[in-house]
Amino acid sequence: MMTIWAQKFTELLTRLGTARFSVALFSLILLISLVGTSTTDILLHGNVTVYDLLTPLILTLLTAPWVLYFFLEMISQLEKSRRHLFQLVEQLEELREQDKLLNQSLKDKVEQLNFEIEERKKAEFARQDAIDRLSLEVVERKKTQESLGEQTALLRSFINSSPDMIYFRNEKGIFYGCNKAVETVTGKKEQELIGLSPFEVYPNEVAMRAIETDKVLFENNQPITYEQWLQYPDGRKALFEMRKVPFFSASGRRLGLLGFGRDITERKKSADALEKAAREKTQFIATLSHELRTPLNGIVGLARMLRDSPLNEQQLSYINTIYVSAETLGNLFNDIIDLDKADRRRLAIVPEPQDLPAFTKDVATLAELMASQRGLGWQFERQGELPECVEMDATRTRQILWNLLGNAVKFTEQGKVGLTVSADVQPDGKAMLRFCVTDTGIGIPKHEIDKIFAMYYQVESGGKMHATGTGIGLAVSKNLAEAMGGQLLVTSTPGQGSTFTLLLPLPICKALKAPALPEPNGQKVLQILLVEDIELNVTVAKAVLEKMGHQVTVAMTGQAALDACAMQMFDLVLLDIQLPDMSGFDVACTLREKAEFAELPIVALTANVIKDKEQYLENGMDDAISKPLSVATVSAIIDEFYGEPGAMLNQRRHEEEQEDKLLDTNILGQFVEAVGAAIMLQSADLLASQMPDYLKVLESNLMAGDKKEACEMAHKIKGAAAAVGLKRIQQLANLAQHGDAPAWDENIQEWVDEIVEQWQADLALLRQWLNERSK
């Protein structure tokens, strides 16, 4: 109740305001005071006086305002407090509501947190389980990696121990890995190679080919193999067989290529050695053929002379057979020689003025004899007018015609063979000569026409070879015809015969004059002992020597030569090496043992092409010349020993001349005077240590066909040889360094071979020369 009245009192105070409420309250108090006083006085005194009214009035006036102010201020503060408390209560209510909300949220979050904790516990259990499994997998993987590492290391060891190059490049050509062999060839470590392109590793030419072969590989997705010369860091070149294969991932995506390179330099050397051996074998056969041609020519000449002598019919038949057989054999030897020259690309054509009618007559005469030996008919015809003289290689042309005529006779069992010669004179002063060889033989099947000019090919019919032979005649003839600027054509009908046509464009020249005989050269007339066991060679050599005016004594055995020397003093001995009873070396050594023959000039006769005369000089000879003898060769030999009075060379002078040929003694003398022989010997030792590497690089460049590098190495060898006075080696290297010189390609291998064969001997001679000067 009091709270209600207090609230109403406060509301009234608030509604009236303090001032109005104060007046009203003051009035109310005053009224109450007056009423109370009056009532009290009436009750006590029975009356009310002014004084009685005045006293409460004054007291009220004095105390009421302060009481009212205090009361009202207290009420105001209480109201404010109430209001503030009310606000606080409201705020508290709000806070309570918020607290309820927060409690609810907290409860929700606690529930969520509890749920998350449970989930985390589950996740932790799962994670721990996963960790356990992962740990197990790590252990297993570690074991696997260790196993793979061992396998990888083993595989890497295998790859690095391989002598072959192994590398990997991606599709852009960038290196991604390689083995030790690649590092050795390129001079770069694997880490240096990774990320490089071929142009940053190889010379431009090699890199271009690598890129081109990569392109072919990627276009076809097929392995590719080719040969490539690569250069080691020391300058040595080696031939590699390069093989590339496409490289794919497990999913089938192409990653790049795997490359392999195998050094086949030794295989190349072996192949070249085999080829060289084959050439040397062919050259030997050719040399032998040359030597056999001399007695064959003698047989032909003697047979021709016998045919002109009185003979009965049987003897004439025998002589004709000998004549034809010798000519045929000589033609076969010519084929062998030309086969060797064609193989070495040294086939030389030497055109000379030739009496054409006489030439065709000689060919026709031989062909007639060949045909008559087989019982065949012969027909020779000149169509139209032929030039009197043309410039032609008569030997080569005759060789072609003999081959064609020999085949015509060989493949004709009955009927006839023929030769028709005609010429078309052209405005430019040349004549197109046409030689047509015809026969009525077995003919050539159409499908074999294009094959007959192949080496060693022989026509077959019905599974049988119709005639034996070498199978090289037509191949050589075609080469010879083309070398002379002509053609060799053929037409044939099986069972009816064949026609071979030789076309040669030849310049027309003036008629020939009869050759003049050589005039005597005015040399001293010598007593010459000719030691030769082949009678035909004796006849030829004796005729040459006697034609020059010398007197010749012949000995056909070694013992006969020794007996002749014991009975007579000779001015010159021409000594064959191959004798029936002993060698020419034995004869020379026996003569040199006797003082009276110490100064006797002995010259060896040899059928071989002379490259080095040391073997003959070491066995007591003074010189060596090749057979057959010629006037020029004999004159040079006589001038060597008798060109000046008393010009017989003793052994020391010969040795000095040999030294001058091999060593530059003038330069060496200056070097020795300047620095001393000991320093020069040290330089010689240095050259001895460097020369094998120089030659190895030179030969590898020659095998690689790198002329520029070969010439540069030859120049280096020349400088090294010149520095120590090796004259012969310097001269050979000088020839080898000029790659643009004529016939360089034909001769370079011979020069290099001679350097390889001779440098050690020349260096030994240099050491001997220096040791003599150092004493």
Side-chain angles (χ1 to χ4, degrees), residues 546-599:
E546 290 180 344
K547 186 69 176 179
M548 296 174 66
H550 302 295
Q551 297 181 6
V552 181
T553 301
V554 177
M556 302 189 72
T557 64
Q559 187 59 50
L562 295 175
D563 294 342
C565 289
M567 296 175 59
Q568 178 184 351
M569 287 300 297
F570 293 97
D571 299 311
L572 177 65
V573 176
L574 299 178
L575 179 58
D576 187 25
I577 300 302
Q578 300 292 335
L579 296 172
D581 53 345
M582 64 181 72
S583 70
F585 295 140
D586 296 332
V587 175
C589 291
T590 301
L591 291 175
R592 293 302 187 201
E593 291 174 355
K594 299 178 180 180
E596 62 267 28
F597 301 120
E599 302 298 329

Side-chain angles (χ1 to χ4, degrees), residues 344-579:
R344 292 182 289 134
R345 293 176 176 82
R346 296 185 179 182
L347 189 61
I349 302 300
V350 184
E352 295 179 348
Q354 180 68 36
D355 186 337
L356 185 57
F359 172 81
T360 56
K361 181 180 179 181
D362 289 343
V363 173
T365 301
L366 174 62
E368 184 178 6
L369 287 174
M370 293 170 62
S372 64
Q373 294 296 316
R374 291 287 301 272
L376 302 175
W378 166 250
Q379 181 178 351
F380 173 62
E381 182 180 1
R382 293 191 184 95
Q383 293 182 348
E385 293 186 4
L386 299 179
E388 289 294 323
C389 183
V390 293
E391 290 187 5
M392 66 186 298
D393 189 327
T395 301
R396 307 296 189 191
T397 307
R398 184 181 296 108
Q399 187 176 342
I400 296 173
L401 293 176
W402 282 351
N403 272 321
L404 298 180
L405 290 165
N407 284 340
V409 171
K410 185 191 306 181
F411 290 98
T412 303
E413 297 182 359
Q414 59 183 0
K416 63 180 180 179
V417 297
L419 173 63
T420 302
V421 184
S422 61
D424 296 330
V425 179
Q426 301 174 354
D428 59 356
K430 290 187 177 180
M432 178 61 75
L433 288 186
R434 180 179 286 102
F435 298 88
C436 295
V437 177
T438 60
D439 64 68
T440 59
I442 62 173
I444 305 170
K446 185 176 181 180
H447 67 277
E448 296 191 17
I449 287 288
D450 295 333
K451 304 176 183 178
I452 60 173
F453 294 109
M455 190 65 66
Y456 308 118
Y457 186 78
Q458 294 176 320
V459 176
E460 296 184 14
S461 179
K464 295 183 178 180
M465 199 77 68
H466 281 269
T468 59
T470 62
I472 66 174
L474 288 178
V476 172
S477 297
K478 185 175 179 63
N479 287 338
L480 290 175
E482 292 175 351
M484 291 188 289
Q487 292 179 285
L488 186 56
L489 309 175
V490 58
T491 59
S492 182
T493 302
Q496 298 182 17
S498 305
T499 299
F500 285 83
T501 302
L502 172 63
L503 298 176
L504 292 178
L506 302 175
I508 300 174
C509 58
K510 295 181 180 180
L512 294 172
K513 296 181 180 179
L517 294 175
E519 295 292 334
N521 56 16
Q523 287 180 326
K524 173 184 176 181
V525 177
L526 302 179
Q527 296 289 334
I528 298 176
L529 174 61
L530 175 63
V531 186
E532 171 64 68
D533 64 321
I534 299 178
E535 188 170 351
L536 182 59
N537 289 347
V538 170
T539 301
V540 174
K542 186 177 181 182
V544 170
L545 294 172
E546 290 180 344
K547 186 69 176 179
M548 296 174 66
H550 302 295
Q551 297 181 6
V552 181
T553 301
V554 177
M556 302 189 72
T557 64
Q559 187 59 50
L562 295 175
D563 294 342
C565 289
M567 296 175 59
Q568 178 184 351
M569 287 300 297
F570 293 97
D571 299 311
L572 177 65
V573 176
L574 299 178
L575 179 58
D576 187 25
I577 300 302
Q578 300 292 335
L579 296 172

Side-chain angles (χ1 to χ4, degrees), residues 666-682:
N666 291 331
I667 294 296
L668 282 172
Q670 297 175 22
F671 286 168
V672 170
E673 184 177 352
V675 301
I679 299 298
M680 292 303 299
L681 283 169
Q682 293 177 9

Side-chain angles (χ1 to χ4, degrees), residues 55-309:
T55 300
L57 177 64
I58 293 172
L59 181 62
T60 301
L61 289 174
L62 288 175
T63 59
W66 297 105
V67 171
L68 288 173
Y69 175 79
F70 175 78
F71 180 74
L72 291 176
E73 185 66 26
M74 183 182 65
I75 291 173
S76 177
Q77 290 296 326
L78 289 173
E79 181 62 20
K80 288 181 180 179
S81 297
R82 186 188 68 79
R83 289 181 180 178
H84 180 68
L85 181 61
F86 181 76
Q87 290 177 353
L88 289 177
V89 170
E90 287 182 348
Q91 290 178 357
L92 182 60
E93 289 294 331
E94 290 178 359
L95 288 175
R96 286 179 64 186
E97 292 296 327
Q98 291 178 359
D99 185 57
K100 288 181 180 179
L101 294 175
L102 289 175
N103 286 336
Q104 186 64 37
S105 175
L106 180 61
K107 183 178 180 181
D108 293 340
K109 289 183 177 179
V110 168
E111 291 177 354
Q112 181 66 28
L113 182 60
N114 290 333
F115 176 76
E116 290 181 359
I117 289 173
E118 292 296 327
E119 292 297 324
R120 286 188 180 182
K121 287 181 179 180
K122 294 179 181 179
E124 183 67 22
F125 290 144
R127 186 176 70 85
Q128 187 62 41
D129 185 57
I131 289 176
D132 293 339
R133 289 198 307 268
L134 183 60
S135 299
L136 182 60
E137 290 180 1
V138 168
V139 173
E140 294 297 328
R141 185 175 298 176
K142 186 175 181 181
K143 292 181 180 178
T144 304
Q145 287 179 345
E146 289 176 354
S147 177
L148 289 175
E150 293 177 357
Q151 294 178 8
T152 302
L154 183 60
L155 179 60
R156 185 70 184 182
S157 177
F158 284 156
I159 292 175
N160 281 333
S161 63
S162 171
D164 296 340
M165 296 172 60
I166 302 174
Y167 59 89
F168 170 69
R169 287 195 283 113
N170 64 12
E171 293 195 359
K172 294 182 180 179
I174 304 302
F175 280 91
Y176 265 52
C178 68
N179 69 341
K180 293 292 184 183
V182 178
E183 294 179 355
T184 302
V185 174
T186 62
K188 297 180 182 294
K189 295 295 183 182
E190 182 179 15
Q191 294 303 319
E192 297 174 324
L193 276 173
I194 293 176
L196 299 182
S197 69
F199 287 99
E200 297 172 298
V201 178
Y202 302 123
N204 188 64
E205 180 181 352
V206 177
M208 284 293 295
R209 191 172 187 194
I211 296 300
E212 290 172 359
T213 51
D214 288 356
K215 184 178 179 181
V216 174
L217 172 76
F218 292 140
E219 286 178 352
N220 301 322
N221 265 340
Q222 294 293 329
I224 185 171
T225 303
Y226 64 97
E227 292 183 359
Q228 179 66 59
W229 285 94
L230 298 177
Q231 184 170 342
Y232 284 89
D234 62 0
R236 177 171 52 91
K237 283 187 172 62
L239 181 63
F240 284 84
E241 182 182 70
M242 308 298 293
R243 181 170 176 81
K244 299 177 180 178
V245 296
F247 182 65
F248 298 92
S249 67
S251 61
R253 184 172 65 90
R254 190 175 65 200
L255 302 177
L257 63 86
L258 279 175
F260 306 89
R262 172 162 294 180
D263 189 342
I264 59 171
T265 309
E266 292 302 321
R267 188 166 72 188
K268 174 70 172 174
K269 286 182 179 179
S270 299
D272 290 346
L274 289 174
E275 183 179 352
K276 182 179 180 182
R279 287 198 305 268
E280 289 177 350
K281 179 181 179 181
T282 305
Q283 187 174 4
F284 167 75
I285 295 174
T287 303
L288 181 62
S289 299
H290 274 293
E291 294 304 317
L292 292 177
R293 190 189 300 162
T294 300
L296 281 175
N297 289 339
I299 295 172
V300 171
L302 292 175
R304 185 178 298 166
M305 294 172 60
L306 285 173
R307 286 175 59 232
D308 296 334
S309 63

